[in-house]
Amino acid sequence: MKPKVYITRKIPDEIVTKIEMECEIRMWNEPEIPVPREVLEKEIADAEGLFCLITETIDRELLEKARRLKVISNMAVGYNNIDIKAAKEKKIIVTNTPGVLTETTADLTFALLMATARRLVESSDYLRRGDWKTWSPMQLTGQDVYGATLGIIGMGRIGTALARRANGFDMKILYHNRSRKYQIENELNVKFAELETLLKESDFVCIMTPYSNETKGLISTRELSLMKNTAILINTARGGIVNEDDLYLALKKGTIWAAGLDVYEEEPISQDHPLLTLPNVVTIPHIGSASVKTRLKMAELAAENMMLVLKNEQPKNVVG
Ligand code: GLV
């Protein structure tokens, strides 16, 4: 008998077909609406495999309802949506999809950095509104990227890929990380710095660290006040790493110059969130890994990890 799996969102047909060869599938068939909690609670009771997204909160209470679950396969590199401790206690293996999204996410981070520095969204809106009457010397002037100082908080895979891009722009690169990365320091000409030094010296601060109790609210009023008033904060990691109320005030008061955000404390961010009223915020809807090729690779890897566990084989990416 094929193992039963539940897929929490409509995923590409070609991936469904692959899973179907080995599993009995039930799937939430909506592409844009997350599975309601009560549906998930019901579906998880019988499933042996769960293929889920970061939009699902897989907490202890939900896992209590899982009677046969062997694997939770998250189609993401981050897994802060899952209670890893509770899963472990229930001997449920948790997997994620690192590696395949590294370059795509680094691309987006650099794109967001450039868009924020050079006010691309604001400039486009300005033109479309019909405000562009003439060329003028200081009109829509931004910050230079080439040759500037980049501070990377979290030198993992994506942070390293970002540093590689920054080398092409002749940037001076500082990084802060729990442990020193000597090989990367040598290869990419990046320098380790204490967080405070990084914040004081960087023109761009990019958050590239996972979300955890340790990094929750890592960037709050004190940290923002250490930054230059011409500095730009970029967050493509997880929203909760930055205190959004503090960020709003810092941007409003000119403590820092601008922010580029792909992630938020609550997603989707509410339409009346004060951050959305500021012209110096470039805001995009958590699209770091969103290229066609990468999203297919992530779905494929998540499927593979889930099926490997269900065949009692070693999955490629175990977390926890
Ligand atoms: C997306 O945010 C991911 O963690 O893959």
Tab-separated table of all heavy atoms in Angstrom, residues 197-222:
chain	number	residue	atom	x	y	z
A	197	THR	N	30.170	47.364	15.286
A	197	THR	CA	31.079	47.942	14.287
A	197	THR	C	30.457	47.859	12.901
A	197	THR	O	30.483	48.820	12.120
A	197	THR	CB	32.429	47.169	14.294
A	197	THR	OG1	32.861	47.063	15.630
A	197	THR	CG2	33.460	47.821	13.435
A	198	LEU	N	29.889	46.695	12.606
A	198	LEU	CA	29.253	46.509	11.295
A	198	LEU	C	28.151	47.554	11.085
A	198	LEU	O	28.072	48.187	10.034
A	198	LEU	CB	28.699	45.087	11.202
A	198	LEU	CG	28.005	44.672	9.910
A	198	LEU	CD1	28.213	43.183	9.644
A	198	LEU	CD2	26.521	44.984	9.892
A	199	LEU	N	27.338	47.750	12.112
A	199	LEU	CA	26.219	48.692	11.982
A	199	LEU	C	26.728	50.119	11.806
A	199	LEU	O	26.179	50.894	11.020
A	199	LEU	CB	25.310	48.599	13.207
A	199	LEU	CG	24.540	47.277	13.349
A	199	LEU	CD1	23.929	47.154	14.745
A	199	LEU	CD2	23.455	47.143	12.282
A	200	LYS	N	27.799	50.454	12.520
A	200	LYS	CA	28.328	51.823	12.439
A	200	LYS	C	28.984	52.113	11.099
A	200	LYS	O	28.922	53.230	10.605
A	200	LYS	CB	29.386	52.019	13.538
A	200	LYS	CG	28.809	52.298	14.904
A	200	LYS	CD	29.949	52.549	15.885
A	200	LYS	CE	29.413	52.648	17.296
A	200	LYS	NZ	30.445	52.397	18.298
A	201	GLU	N	29.629	51.097	10.522
A	201	GLU	CA	30.465	51.377	9.351
A	201	GLU	C	29.804	51.091	8.010
A	201	GLU	O	30.304	51.520	6.976
A	201	GLU	CB	31.779	50.568	9.468
A	201	GLU	CG	32.617	51.065	10.627
A	201	GLU	CD	33.976	50.402	10.713
A	201	GLU	OE1	34.346	49.640	9.794
A	201	GLU	OE2	34.653	50.643	11.727
A	202	SER	N	28.702	50.361	8.027
A	202	SER	CA	28.145	49.928	6.730
A	202	SER	C	27.234	50.972	6.091
A	202	SER	O	26.492	51.672	6.773
A	202	SER	CB	27.338	48.639	6.919
A	202	SER	OG	28.181	47.623	7.390
A	203	ASP	N	27.284	51.017	4.766
A	203	ASP	CA	26.323	51.830	4.011
A	203	ASP	C	25.065	51.012	3.731
A	203	ASP	O	23.982	51.558	3.566
A	203	ASP	CB	26.956	52.272	2.683
A	203	ASP	CG	28.187	53.133	2.923
A	203	ASP	OD1	28.055	54.145	3.625
A	203	ASP	OD2	29.289	52.760	2.441
A	204	PHE	N	25.263	49.701	3.650
A	204	PHE	CA	24.138	48.779	3.457
A	204	PHE	C	24.264	47.679	4.495
A	204	PHE	O	25.342	47.102	4.652
A	204	PHE	CB	24.173	48.146	2.060
A	204	PHE	CG	24.032	49.156	0.961
A	204	PHE	CD1	25.155	49.758	0.411
A	204	PHE	CD2	22.780	49.523	0.494
A	204	PHE	CE1	25.030	50.721	-0.586
A	204	PHE	CE2	22.644	50.472	-0.499
A	204	PHE	CZ	23.765	51.078	-1.041
A	205	VAL	N	23.190	47.399	5.183
A	205	VAL	CA	23.185	46.284	6.140
A	205	VAL	C	22.176	45.262	5.627
A	205	VAL	O	20.991	45.576	5.469
A	205	VAL	CB	22.787	46.768	7.555
A	205	VAL	CG1	22.610	45.575	8.500
A	205	VAL	CG2	23.832	47.745	8.109
A	206	CYS	N	22.666	44.071	5.319
A	206	CYS	CA	21.771	43.020	4.809
A	206	CYS	C	21.628	41.925	5.855
A	206	CYS	O	22.621	41.367	6.328
A	206	CYS	CB	22.334	42.397	3.534
A	206	CYS	SG	22.201	43.483	2.134
A	207	ILE	N	20.385	41.601	6.170
A	207	ILE	CA	20.124	40.545	7.148
A	207	ILE	C	19.970	39.217	6.404
A	207	ILE	O	19.105	39.076	5.538
A	207	ILE	CB	18.859	40.874	7.939
A	207	ILE	CG1	19.083	42.200	8.668
A	207	ILE	CG2	18.528	39.762	8.928
A	207	ILE	CD1	17.857	42.756	9.302
A	208	MET	N	20.836	38.278	6.773
A	208	MET	CA	20.883	37.007	6.057
A	208	MET	C	20.918	35.829	7.017
A	208	MET	O	21.420	34.772	6.700
A	208	MET	CB	22.153	36.952	5.176
A	208	MET	CG	22.378	38.122	4.286
A	208	MET	SD	21.801	37.914	2.595
A	208	MET	CE	20.102	37.734	2.674
A	209	THR	N	20.403	36.051	8.219
A	209	THR	CA	20.517	35.040	9.266
A	209	THR	C	19.170	34.347	9.480
A	209	THR	O	18.135	34.945	9.220
A	209	THR	CB	21.010	35.736	10.560
A	209	THR	OG1	21.180	34.775	11.564
A	209	THR	CG2	20.039	36.787	11.062
A	210	PRO	N	19.163	33.101	9.935
A	210	PRO	CA	17.874	32.457	10.213
A	210	PRO	C	17.159	33.130	11.379
A	210	PRO	O	17.798	33.815	12.193
A	210	PRO	CB	18.246	31.024	10.594
A	210	PRO	CG	19.657	30.836	10.224
A	210	PRO	CD	20.297	32.186	10.179
A	211	TYR	N	15.868	32.917	11.467
A	211	TYR	CA	15.067	33.461	12.559
A	211	TYR	C	15.058	32.465	13.706
A	211	TYR	O	14.805	31.281	13.508
A	211	TYR	CB	13.645	33.685	12.045
A	211	TYR	CG	12.716	34.314	13.045
A	211	TYR	CD1	13.007	35.544	13.602
A	211	TYR	CD2	11.536	33.690	13.414
A	211	TYR	CE1	12.155	36.140	14.508
A	211	TYR	CE2	10.670	34.273	14.314
A	211	TYR	CZ	10.989	35.499	14.867
A	211	TYR	OH	10.141	36.089	15.759
A	212	SER	N	15.370	32.949	14.886
A	212	SER	CA	15.370	32.075	16.067
A	212	SER	C	15.170	32.956	17.297
A	212	SER	O	15.131	34.188	17.173
A	212	SER	CB	16.714	31.353	16.179
A	212	SER	OG	17.725	32.305	16.441
A	213	ASN	N	15.108	32.350	18.468
A	213	ASN	CA	15.006	33.147	19.696
A	213	ASN	C	16.170	34.116	19.805
A	213	ASN	O	16.042	35.213	20.341
A	213	ASN	CB	15.001	32.231	20.927
A	213	ASN	CG	13.640	31.580	21.068
A	213	ASN	OD1	12.643	32.088	20.554
A	213	ASN	ND2	13.600	30.439	21.741
A	214	GLU	N	17.306	33.669	19.278
A	214	GLU	CA	18.518	34.476	19.346
A	214	GLU	C	18.465	35.707	18.438
A	214	GLU	O	19.048	36.732	18.738
A	214	GLU	CB	19.669	33.592	18.862
A	214	GLU	CG	20.890	33.518	19.720
A	214	GLU	CD	21.837	32.518	19.092
A	214	GLU	OE1	21.487	31.311	19.090
A	214	GLU	OE2	22.856	32.931	18.561
A	215	THR	N	17.790	35.579	17.298
A	215	THR	CA	17.803	36.690	16.327
A	215	THR	C	16.498	37.493	16.325
A	215	THR	O	16.387	38.480	15.613
A	215	THR	CB	18.078	36.175	14.892
A	215	THR	OG1	17.032	35.257	14.522
A	215	THR	CG2	19.422	35.501	14.777
A	216	LYS	N	15.537	37.072	17.122
A	216	LYS	CA	14.269	37.818	17.203
A	216	LYS	C	14.556	39.246	17.687
A	216	LYS	O	15.209	39.440	18.716
A	216	LYS	CB	13.340	37.099	18.186
A	216	LYS	CG	11.987	37.705	18.296
A	216	LYS	CD	11.079	36.809	19.122
A	216	LYS	CE	9.690	37.336	18.975
A	216	LYS	NZ	8.985	37.680	20.075
A	217	GLY	N	14.096	40.227	16.932
A	217	GLY	CA	14.290	41.629	17.338
A	217	GLY	C	15.751	42.062	17.377
A	217	GLY	O	16.095	43.047	18.030
A	218	LEU	N	16.597	41.343	16.654
A	218	LEU	CA	18.041	41.657	16.646
A	218	LEU	C	18.298	43.108	16.238
A	218	LEU	O	19.195	43.770	16.738
A	218	LEU	CB	18.762	40.702	15.676
A	218	LEU	CG	20.268	40.843	15.528
A	218	LEU	CD1	20.990	40.372	16.783
A	218	LEU	CD2	20.768	40.038	14.319
A	219	ILE	N	17.471	43.581	15.292
A	219	ILE	CA	17.612	44.976	14.860
A	219	ILE	C	16.440	45.769	15.426
A	219	ILE	O	15.308	45.660	14.943
A	219	ILE	CB	17.672	45.070	13.317
A	219	ILE	CG1	18.813	44.211	12.759
A	219	ILE	CG2	17.797	46.525	12.870
A	219	ILE	CD1	20.215	44.621	13.172
A	220	SER	N	16.737	46.516	16.468
A	220	SER	CA	15.728	47.349	17.136
A	220	SER	C	16.294	48.766	17.236
A	220	SER	O	17.300	49.074	16.601
A	220	SER	CB	15.401	46.762	18.505
A	220	SER	OG	14.908	45.436	18.347
A	221	THR	N	15.633	49.606	18.057
A	221	THR	CA	16.029	51.027	18.098
A	221	THR	C	17.532	51.240	18.330
A	221	THR	O	18.161	52.030	17.631
A	221	THR	CB	15.228	51.750	19.200
A	221	THR	OG1	13.857	51.652	18.822
A	221	THR	CG2	15.606	53.206	19.311
A	222	ARG	N	18.081	50.489	19.285
A	222	ARG	CA	19.498	50.705	19.597
A	222	ARG	C	20.390	50.435	18.386
A	222	ARG	O	21.271	51.208	18.040
A	222	ARG	CB	19.921	49.798	20.765
A	222	ARG	CG	21.249	50.165	21.383
A	222	ARG	CD	21.691	49.151	22.428
A	222	ARG	NE	22.420	48.033	21.823
A	222	ARG	CZ	23.703	48.063	21.510
A	222	ARG	NH1	24.418	49.130	21.732
A	222	ARG	NH2	24.298	47.014	20.953
